Amino acid sequence: MKKTLMGNEAIALGLVHADVDMVSGYPGTPSSEILTTVQKLQKQQDLELYAQWATNEKVGFEVAYAGAIAGKRTAATMKQVGLNVASDALMSASYIGNLGGMLLVSADDPGFHSSQTEQDSRVFAKFAKIPVLDPATPQDAYDLTRYGVDLSQEFEIPVMLRPVMRVCHARQIVEVKSEHDFSPQKGEFQRDIPRWAGVPRAGRFKQGEQLLERVEKLERYNWEHLLKPEFDKCKGGRVLILAGGTGYGFAKEALEDMGIEADVVKVLMPYPLPVEKIKEQFADYEKVLVVEEPMPCIEEQVMDPKVHGRLDKTMHQIDEMSKVYIQEAMRKLGLYEGKDLYPANPFKEQIPARPPNLCPGCPHRDVYYSIMKVFKKKKSIYPSDIGCYTLGINQGAIDTVLCMGGSVSMASGFALADPDKYVVATIGDSTFFHGGIPPLINAVYQKHKFLLVVLDNSVVAMTGRQEPPQRQNKEVDIVKVAEGCGASTFEYVYDNDMNKTVDFFKRMKEEYDKADGPVVAVVREFCVLDKEKASEQLPGEFVTVNEDDCVACDQCTTVFNCPPMSYNEKDKIEIDPFLCVGCGACLNVVCPTDAFVLDEKRGK
Amino acid sequence: MRYQVVIAGFGGQGAVFLVKVLALCAGNKNIECLGTENHGMSQRGGAVSCFIKLGDFSNPVIDTYQADLLIGLEADEALRNMQYLKSGGIMAVNAEDDFPAADVYTDVARVDAFAKAKAGDFPIQGLNVYMLGVAARNDKNFPFTLEDLKEAITQMNAKVAAQNIEILEKGYANVME
């Protein structure tokens, strides 16, 4: 049957249709909807399966991997930078293998749409010596998900599915199985100590040899089942295009646009490649162009004087795929001499950017405002972390962003390197659980002095409001965790009266001055997009401006930076009534001349 | 048939809803469809743009100078995405009367939909559907009829379809010179 699906929904449906009944992962754009869709399907079809968010990607991978050792069909989902976190487990898992099937879904983000790096998970698969499948469309994603789980079981090795954002967040009418009798495999752990607990040197050496054999078998399989049928359709000519994933769709369309007929081979499994077999095919062509993203994974394996791509800069070096890059590559290779088919004619003037900002009413804004008021800009260093609250950068309240949990360890580093300054780190609740705890323990026992503010809104807001641990089970509590690490810990329940928030941070400064190790402030907040909580938390204190009092000092538009506030034609601040959510936070402290007043017409 | 649409706006304007409506229309007519959305930071007020390609295509991205139609839910976002339009395409845009239509290299169908919403013509949440109506009426190559759109909107959510269809018809009533 046909269904309009987003790539991530297609992957989720593929998992269910592959009888996968354990899915574990950590949210991260563009991968997040895979696991949430499995959860939806579970509810809709009353399926007996496990689909849960893990505390981080490494944990998610390991839960799923153990399931596959025990004979189940499992999957772990994450974004590409999450794979960095899971990589320790992955590197060993490839040696050890599995009896059931395990699909590792690592979603890449060429073009940095919502990621801090443009890394290529296929290269990671090659590094770990596990097979990787590269879908071009949601249809491919559905098909290759099922294929990958089967392949993992057949070859007893984890298989990676590597969709890029333009697959995860693409929508297509997809042909899917209309009926599926969900029949997961029974989990039954079989003791095999030399395999599941292989130790260096002899144990792992043997597994290393077995891994090499497995890779060779996979190369032959890749040729027989996937590549040979593609090459059999080829006619030869001036140029052969080797295309990976989305590159295939871009290449097909670009060639048609240019009016060029050429063989395009879709490389569904970019690792491991039967290199010699592929190179034999090059005899029928003058040149070979590799079209893949974001890194030269196929190209590096099939290096040859005829091969062109990213390594010799025939293709672009950074940013996501676009047909214009293929057109330019063909031009460089002397294969296209026509006009530019994709001229860019932007509007003649610069259009103001529309940077993302914390939502109106977001408690993070008040916390950042208060921190800056108390700790000041010049005398402090502000490391922060990955999440919505990174948008505190708009308030000048963030100096560094590195990776998940990095704020805590970097606070240690800054405290050691520049002890004359206050160090105030900010981290969200889910990020704290993900990667913030080991560095906190490190700071406690080594007595690094800083203030760590945990912004606890009890939701993974940036990636679509998934549930963090404490939301599902209140026994997990950040205050207890921080206390258990040995940190001097304080709790503050967010209040929309900013005087109280400022007073709390004044107290934290006093504690900081007295402390000889890290001070942790857990701020209990809510997310305005969290329908369950926001309606009861937002007080309905809508605000308007007393224009006579506004002196256009910019304080509210720079340091507070709430989206409804802007200057009107009279150079006075105006509040957009459509955007204001009535949090009332700006009624106190924010305006030095108290120009913000309660909008009596909208009432309380 | 090949037809490419860019929908541009900012977070909360319902651009993705229009993608779903067009995808349903395509499905109903047995036309292939492939699209993609840039919605990374949209919930935080950032810009949103969506691509939808109807017909025989193999990748979901629209390159510069390729789109038949640009639906601009807001003036700046329309201008930011103008370069995707091909010569001979059309821009259907929600903008005030100072919109620099003369600097756009295609036909422009402009309606001040914010003003109409403020005047009570339709609820602001329906701005996306209103602009879809404007686009459908004023692009002579638009591949779906008003009835096709109504059918898809009903399939999306039958309960709220009546109000959306009313807004769609109001948008459809805007005939440009």
Side-chain angles (χ1 to χ4, degrees):
Chain A
M1 64 180 284
K2 287 190 186 299
K3 268 187 127 158
T4 303
L5 295 175
M6 195 164 76
N8 283 342
E9 296 167 339
I11 293 169
L13 195 61
L15 289 173
V16 170
H17 288 177
D19 294 325
V20 167
D21 73 336
M22 280 177 70
V23 188
S24 183
Y26 189 80
T29 313
S31 73
S32 312
E33 299 88 356
I34 301 169
L35 198 143
T36 44
T37 305
V38 174
Q39 290 173 331
K40 271 184 211 155
L41 293 168
Q42 177 182 23
K43 270 190 197 155
Q44 283 166 8
Q45 304 177 18
D46 197 21
L47 303 173
E48 219 170 284
L49 58 79
Y50 168 91
Q52 290 273 328
W53 294 116
T55 40
N56 66 32
E57 294 86 356
K58 180 173 183 287
V59 174
F61 180 94
E62 288 158 351
V63 168
Y65 177 57
I69 284 182
K72 283 198 162 289
R73 294 186 144 212
T74 71
T77 71
M78 59 200 65
K79 70 182 295 180
Q80 92 286 33
V81 285
L83 181 62
N84 297 341
V85 178
S87 62
D88 198 7
L90 169 66
M91 295 305 289
S92 274
S94 76
Y95 283 77
I96 298 166
N98 42 263
L99 290 179
M102 172 169 176
L103 191 72
L104 163 62
V105 187
S106 181
D108 285 358
D109 191 10
F112 306 87
H113 287 280
S114 38
S115 304
Q116 57 271 50
T117 73
E118 205 184 36
Q119 65 192 73
D120 190 325
S121 296
R122 299 174 308 157
V123 176
F124 229 127
K126 180 167 160 263
F127 185 37
K129 292 193 168 68
I130 63 162
V132 54
L133 302 168
D134 193 4
T137 57
Q139 179 71 60
D140 273 2
Y142 171 77
D143 296 338
L144 291 179
T145 296
R146 297 170 61 202
Y147 191 80
V149 178
D150 286 345
L151 199 70
S152 171
Q153 183 144 12
E154 184 179 341
F155 285 88
E156 298 194 11
I157 190 167
V159 171
M160 181 191 288
L161 180 78
R162 191 294 298 248
V164 296
M165 186 277 253
R166 294 298 181 192
V167 173
C168 292
H169 288 171
R171 237 173 253 280
Q172 188 183 23
I173 300 172
V174 180
E175 181 66 41
V176 298
K177 256 182 106 172
S178 44
E179 301 255 328
H180 179 74
D181 177 21
F182 186 64
S183 32
Q185 294 173 188
K186 191 172 180 297
E188 193 162 20
F189 177 70
Q190 291 169 27
R191 180 165 291 121
D192 182 354
I193 296 168
R195 182 167 187 189
W196 309 131
V199 288
R201 165 178 143 89
R204 279 300 171 92
F205 194 92
K206 195 175 147 212
Q207 287 181 332
E209 288 177 321
Q210 288 165 348
L211 177 57
L212 292 175
E213 280 170 33
R214 221 180 276 157
V215 169
E216 274 183 30
K217 268 191 214 163
L218 279 157
E219 284 173 9
R220 285 197 294 274
Y221 179 96
N222 194 358
W223 176 253
E224 291 300 328
H225 291 84
L226 301 173
L227 284 166
K228 188 169 178 295
E230 284 278 315
F231 278 108
D232 283 349
K233 288 185 269 179
C234 288
K235 299 180 193 129
R238 290 190 69 190
V239 66
L240 165 71
I241 313 272
L242 282 180
T246 46
Y248 177 78
F250 283 93
K252 290 288 272 190
E253 285 188 18
L255 289 174
E256 195 190 327
D257 292 352
M258 289 183 280
I260 296 173
E261 276 197 31
D263 291 333
V264 184
V265 165
K266 190 177 192 178
V267 183
L268 288 170
M269 193 197 288
Y271 179 84
L273 289 178
V275 174
E276 294 312 314
K277 288 280 186 198
I278 293 173
K279 284 191 177 178
E280 283 169 21
Q281 312 301 313
F282 295 171
D284 299 338
Y285 305 90
E286 283 171 34
K287 287 171 178 164
V288 178
L289 177 67
V290 185
V291 179
E292 59 183 328
E293 65 178 343
M295 286 175 171
C297 175
I298 298 169
E299 190 184 351
E300 277 185 353
Q301 295 176 76
V302 299
M303 277 216 281
D304 184 275
K306 282 187 180 178
V307 171
H308 303 274
R310 288 174 173 259
L311 289 173
D312 68 350
K313 300 195 174 160
T314 302
M315 288 296 297
H316 62 302
Q317 301 294 296
I318 191 167
D319 211 350
E320 69 172 324
M321 190 63 70
S322 169
K323 288 195 279 191
V324 71
Y325 297 130
I326 298 168
Q327 173 190 270
E328 290 317 300
M330 295 295 279
R331 203 189 290 283
K332 284 179 201 166
L333 296 176
L335 297 163
Y336 179 67
E337 285 166 356
K339 61 168 185 171
D340 179 9
L341 300 169
Y342 317 106
N345 302 306
F347 185 60
K348 57 175 184 169
E349 284 162 36
Q350 186 87 21
I351 298 156
R354 193 183 293 276
N357 197 348
L358 291 171
C359 303
C362 176
H364 292 339
R365 178 177 288 105
D366 300 26
V367 172
Y368 279 124
Y369 190 90
S370 304
I371 290 172
M372 297 311 286
K373 189 145 186 88
V374 173
F375 286 89
K376 312 287 184 207
K377 188 97 181 166
K378 277 187 190 157
K379 293 178 188 160
S380 307
I381 306 172
Y382 298 102
S384 190
D385 228 298
I386 313 280
C388 277
Y389 51 92
T390 317
L391 295 171
I393 208 155
N394 295 333
Q395 293 170 262
I398 291 175
D399 287 322
T400 66
V401 179
L402 184 67
C403 63
M404 293 288 286
S407 61
V408 190
S409 3
M410 288 180 80
S412 280
F414 289 131
L416 289 167
D418 193 352
D420 295 338
K421 293 202 179 84
Y422 286 101
V423 178
V424 182
T426 44
I427 190 169
D429 49 303
S430 188
T431 313
F432 178 71
F433 287 122
H434 179 289
I437 298 170
L440 180 59
I441 296 170
N442 190 65
V444 169
Y445 88 83
Q446 295 179 15
K447 296 192 184 298
H448 300 148
K449 201 166 154 176
F450 56 82
L451 172 64
L452 174 66
V453 183
V454 185
L455 306 155
D456 173 20
N457 59 10
S458 296
V459 77
V460 193
M462 184 56 109
T463 50
R465 299 183 299 286
Q466 293 81 10
E467 291 192 342
Q470 76 276 26
R471 187 72 174 261
Q472 289 195 43
N473 188 336
K474 288 207 163 49
E475 283 170 38
V476 180
D477 181 68
I478 297 169
V479 169
K480 282 192 212 159
V481 171
E483 281 172 351
C485 292
S488 172
T489 306
F490 301 85
E491 186 178 15
Y492 171 68
V493 179
Y494 169 78
D495 192 299
N496 78 327
D497 179 352
M498 189 98 74
N499 289 307
K500 291 182 182 161
T501 310
V502 170
D503 285 347
F504 172 73
F505 281 102
K506 280 184 183 159
R507 204 177 126 220
M508 286 303 98
K509 197 174 180 197
E510 288 164 20
E511 294 293 339
Y512 191 123
D513 289 334
K514 286 190 289 188
D516 63 350
V519 176
V520 177
V522 179
V523 184
R524 308 293 195 183
E525 305 179 358
F526 62 94
C527 169
V528 290
L529 297 175
D530 187 346
K531 285 184 189 131
E532 227 176 273
K533 289 189 171 179
S535 53
E536 59 189 62
Q537 296 278 356
L538 285 171
E541 293 172 7
F542 293 93
V543 173
T544 185
V545 179
N546 194 343
E547 285 191 359
D548 294 341
D549 290 337
C550 176
V551 293
C553 69
D554 287 350
Q555 183 73 8
C556 59
T557 51
T558 56
V559 193
F560 193 62
N561 212 335
C562 193
M565 297 173 179
S566 62
Y567 285 105
N568 62 17
E569 59 275 19
K570 288 176 274 178
D571 253 347
K572 301 287 183 184
I573 287 292
E574 194 172 79
I575 290 180
D576 185 335
F578 286 114
L579 291 178
C580 179
V581 296
C583 73
C586 59
L587 287 169
N588 293 296
V589 183
V590 175
C591 181
T593 55
D594 286 327
F596 292 121
V597 291
L598 205 61
D599 186 351
E600 301 291 349
K601 277 181 285 180
R602 293 183 80 176
K604 191 175 168 177
Chain B
M1 192 225 38
R2 281 185 176 177
Y3 187 82
Q4 308 188 48
V5 189
V6 175
I7 302 165
F10 54 82
Q13 287 194 302
V16 174
F17 180 88
L18 296 189
V19 171
K20 290 180 179 172
V21 170
L22 292 175
L24 277 170
C25 287
N28 293 341
K29 297 244 147 191
N30 229 356
I31 296 169
E32 284 180 79
C33 115
L34 195 53
T36 179
E37 297 134 29
N38 302 306
H39 52 50
M41 302 285 252
S42 59
Q43 276 197 315
R44 313 297 174 275
V48 186
S49 62
C50 301
F51 299 146
I52 179 155
K53 295 163 90 170
L54 305 166
D56 175 27
F57 288 104
S58 49
N59 92 73
V61 177
I62 296 179
D63 279 69
T64 46
Y65 214 61
Q66 303 299 307
D68 297 273
L69 169 67
L70 168 68
I71 302 179
L73 301 176
E74 190 271 342
D76 275 355
E77 294 311 318
L79 292 173
R80 199 192 307 284
N81 289 282
M82 172 178 114
Q83 56 187 326
Y84 291 109
L85 277 169
K86 69 179 186 189
S87 164
I90 180 166
M91 177 190 281
V93 61
N94 161 33
E96 291 176 26
D97 54 14
D98 61 353
F99 185 76
D103 295 317
V104 176
Y105 56 84
T106 65
D107 286 345
V108 174
R110 184 194 64 81
V111 178
D112 190 348
F114 282 143
K116 292 197 185 266
K118 273 183 192 161
D121 280 10
F122 62 89
I124 187 86
Q125 294 80 4
L127 187 130
N128 53 349
V129 176
Y130 187 84
M131 290 308 299
L132 178 64
V134 174
R137 181 62 172 270
N138 291 286
D139 178 7
K140 60 183 187 305
N141 298 318
F142 192 76
F144 305 118
T145 64
L146 183 62
E147 292 309 312
D148 294 338
L149 294 173
K150 287 183 190 171
E151 186 187 344
I153 286 171
T154 310
Q155 283 167 313
M156 287 279 292
N157 186 341
K159 280 182 207 158
V160 298
Q163 193 193 24
N164 269 328
I165 286 172
E166 198 188 317
I167 299 168
L168 178 76
E169 284 174 336
K170 282 185 179 162
Y172 199 79
N174 289 277
V175 186
M176 305 295 153
E177 299 271 308

